Amino acid sequence: MTTVAPPEQARPQLAHRQIMLLMGGLMTGMLLAALDQTIVGTALPTIVGELGGLDHYSWVVTAYLLASTASTPLYGKISDLYGRRPVLLFAISTFLVGSLLAGMSQDMTQLIATRALQGIGAGGLMTLAFTIVSDVVAPRERARYQGLFGAVFGISSVAGPLVGGYFAETDWRWIFYINVPLGIFALYVCSRVLRLVPHTRRDHKIDYLGATLMVAAVSSWLLALSWGGNEYAWGSVQILGLLVAGAVLTGLFIVAEGRAEEPILPLRLFKRATFSLANTATFILGFAMFGSIIYVPLYLQIVKGASPTRSGLLMLPMMAGVIVTSILAGRAISKIGRYKWFPVAGTVIMGAGLLLFTTLQVDTPLWQAFIYMTVIGVGLGMAMQPLILAVQNALDLRDMGAGTSAATFFRSLGGSVGVAALGALMNSKLSEQMTGNMSGVSINSPAQVRKLPPQVLEAVEHVFVNALHPVFLAAGIVALVGTVITLALPDKPLQGGTGPAEAATEEDAAAEMEAKAAAF
């Protein structure tokens, strides 16, 4: 029996003003989700000091990361079936409720639970932003809009530690309360504009088994990577058990997806070279980016004596590199109509910047570190969004949600693996060298490190810098492996606005949208 694929849904024609209004809402939502990956870390010592529960310290970060990463692939498929608008509004509302409750937390258990609730919402904010833009903008024009998303990631990487440091010194609860007015804005704008984007309902069957196996597998992997070397030794029964469970559940998930009528993650997509290679490169980029860049603020605080707030300001060169390059690369891709050489160049430049960081010393002047940061930022800006665009360009509209969420998922997973692997490398190097009067010193509290006696402080600074070198070396090598992967990407032109996906004529679509816009 031959199965006939459902017809492609016509891409709605929104006016530029409507698209920019929608982008404002989507970018606000994405900013909130990205900020909450980094904003809490700076304030954690203050939060633990007030709420207690030092033994649950790491769970405040792990709960958010686990929930957001595990839920990301589910949002894409569910929004393919039920429409983007209700699913996005659910994600924003869940994030808002989680933020409000997190700010009201009276103990660590409440904070961890509400952080997990935030994470469930954040998984949708990240992936649906890219998916919705792919619904309303043809691939060739999409690049210049998605370049703005790259700017959001650049802002969040610097603003997170900066804002977190500021509220740690005033009132840490506003780390969460600040999300509420911004989230309400995103909720209002997205709700209004997305009324103009139609969704064709079709018969569907939710892949409950696949969804359960995916969440269980991802949770096992992430818990093993988060706890390994921290909560438990890598060779402990707990970590080995989680790794085995992750492997078995992943195998069961692959089998289940091969048999499901409407799989959460269609395995047939991986038969497309562009989809597989771009997601592999995205994983590698996430590994190198998240796994290494988190150590730059620590260098500034421990070695250069910067406060958490000032260290955030000192990261501005990296943010500027990401923002400017993301926007310029997006415009260039829209003009040229091809994307391949941007991630190739971006991974080379990012790898070079990471390798430059291996030359950092205690007495390295700040202006030199600023140059290295800028190089990394330029590389990130050139590589991040074109890889998402490559994935989307290889998809039909009916698979856009599932495929885009896969790309977001692989980047988050790469970041989680990178943080765990490079963190283990850093801890290993520190434990080798932290001997004598340095034993017992923890770099998790830079403020306490700066209070050490001058001779001990000087020794700790040198040990820390020496431990950073292999971290940045490993990250740089991984980034250059990403270059090899992106070189293998097919150099396909981006689809324009008149292909089969745009089944409705522009005149008819424009007339219909104009009528809806008048009501809006």
Side-chain angles (χ1 to χ4, degrees):
M1 180 177 175
T2 305
T3 302
V4 179
E8 289 291 332
Q9 181 183 335
R11 179 172 285 114
Q13 302 292 317
L14 294 182
H16 178 69
R17 179 186 67 83
Q18 295 165 336
I19 293 175
M20 292 308 297
L21 188 60
L22 178 60
M23 284 291 293
L26 295 176
M27 289 169 65
T28 302
M30 179 178 281
L31 178 64
L32 293 176
L35 268 178
D36 270 67
Q37 290 179 337
T38 57
I39 195 172
V40 174
T42 313
L44 261 183
T46 303
I47 295 173
V48 172
E50 180 174 327
L51 298 183
L54 182 62
D55 51 333
H56 301 307
Y57 185 96
S58 64
W59 267 106
V60 178
V61 176
T62 303
Y64 182 87
L65 179 67
L66 187 63
S68 60
T69 305
S71 64
T72 291
L74 306 182
Y75 277 104
K77 184 61 178 179
I78 293 171
S79 70
D80 281 341
L81 298 178
Y82 292 107
R84 314 295 186 216
R85 182 173 178 269
V87 179
L88 177 64
L89 298 186
F90 168 81
I92 297 175
S93 301
T94 302
F95 186 85
L96 279 176
V97 172
S99 297
L100 186 62
L101 294 176
M104 298 166 63
S105 297
Q106 299 302 307
D107 57 46
M108 288 293 280
T109 302
Q110 292 178 15
L111 181 60
I112 290 166
T114 53
R115 283 285 287 167
L117 186 61
Q118 271 191 306
I120 292 172
L125 294 179
M126 300 288 276
T127 191
L128 290 175
F130 289 105
T131 307
I132 289 168
V133 171
S134 72
D135 287 340
V136 300
V137 182
R140 181 156 182 168
E141 290 302 308
R142 194 180 303 155
R144 63 192 179 107
Y145 291 107
Q146 288 193 353
L148 297 174
F149 289 151
V152 169
F153 278 103
I155 293 172
S156 67
S157 66
V158 176
L162 175 63
V163 176
Y166 172 75
F167 285 130
E169 296 168 6
T170 52
D171 184 354
W172 65 265
R173 295 182 185 276
W174 276 96
I175 288 175
F176 305 107
Y177 290 150
I178 195 67
N179 293 335
V180 176
L182 295 175
I184 290 173
F185 167 77
L187 192 68
Y188 174 78
V189 171
C190 293
S191 174
R192 294 298 300 270
V193 179
L194 285 177
R195 292 179 191 275
L196 308 180
V197 180
H199 172 67
T200 303
R201 298 190 67 87
R202 59 185 177 88
D203 292 335
H204 52 76
K205 185 176 181 181
I206 299 295
D207 178 20
Y208 292 108
L209 177 60
T212 302
L213 289 171
M214 171 178 278
V215 171
V218 171
S219 298
S220 298
W221 286 116
L222 289 183
L223 285 175
L225 293 169
S226 299
W227 286 350
N230 296 312
E231 303 284 333
Y232 306 99
W234 281 105
S236 66
V237 174
Q238 292 87 344
I239 299 302
L240 292 177
L242 285 169
L243 292 173
V244 170
V248 171
L249 289 167
T250 300
L252 292 174
F253 169 72
I254 292 172
V255 172
E257 293 304 271
R259 296 178 178 178
E261 278 186 47
E262 295 192 32
I264 289 290
L265 181 59
L267 299 182
R268 58 185 164 77
L269 297 180
F270 290 95
K271 296 179 181 178
R272 305 181 184 186
T274 299
F275 184 85
S276 296
L277 290 169
N279 277 318
T280 303
T282 298
F283 176 90
I284 288 172
L285 191 69
F287 182 105
M289 176 175 66
F290 291 111
S292 59
I293 291 176
I294 59 172
Y295 294 107
V296 178
L298 269 181
Y299 170 81
L300 294 171
Q301 292 177 43
I302 291 175
V303 179
K304 297 302 181 183
S307 66
T309 304
R310 185 165 178 263
S311 69
L313 289 172
L314 294 176
M315 293 281 286
L316 284 175
M318 186 181 293
M319 182 177 75
V322 174
I323 293 174
V324 174
T325 314
S326 291
I327 295 172
L328 293 180
R331 292 182 177 277
I333 291 171
S334 288
K335 186 175 182 179
I336 298 168
R338 291 180 184 271
Y339 56 80
K340 172 177 176 173
W341 296 105
F342 288 88
V344 171
T347 49
V348 169
I349 294 171
M350 181 182 173
L354 290 168
L355 293 177
L356 284 172
F357 263 116
T358 63
T359 66
L360 281 181
Q361 301 298 332
V362 172
D363 57 354
T364 299
L366 276 176
W367 64 264
Q368 197 169 325
F370 291 160
I371 293 175
Y372 302 165
M373 290 183 207
T374 305
V375 172
I376 292 177
V378 168
L380 278 174
M382 293 186 73
M384 271 199 304
Q385 305 318 311
L387 287 172
I388 300 284
L389 193 63
V391 169
Q392 293 177 333
N393 196 50
L395 299 171
D396 298 324
L397 277 180
R398 66 177 176 272
D399 293 323
M400 198 61 72
T404 304
S405 67
T408 309
F409 168 73
F410 280 114
R411 179 169 58 193
S412 297
L413 189 61
S416 303
V417 175
V419 168
L422 296 180
L425 179 60
M426 162 71 90
N427 291 334
S428 172
K429 296 298 180 183
L430 285 174
S431 62
E432 287 176 8
Q433 301 178 58
M434 285 284 200
T435 57
N437 56 5
M438 292 184 292
S439 60
V441 175
S442 172
I443 66 165
N444 291 328
S445 178
Q448 294 301 316
V449 171
R450 299 302 303 177
K451 294 178 182 178
L452 293 171
Q455 287 184 331
V456 179
L457 175 60
E458 184 180 355
V460 169
E461 289 175 346
H462 281 90
V463 166
F464 177 71
V465 169
N466 290 335
L468 273 182
H469 291 168
V471 170
F472 286 112
L473 176 62
I477 292 172
V478 168
L480 294 178
V481 171
T483 304
V484 177
I485 302 297
T486 53
L487 279 169
L489 278 172
D491 192 16
K492 291 184 178 180
L494 292 170
Q495 302 170 33
T498 56
E502 287 73 35
T505 65
E506 291 189 7
E507 292 81 2
D508 291 342
E512 183 181 352
M513 283 297 146
E514 220 170 287
K516 290 183 178 181
F520 172 76

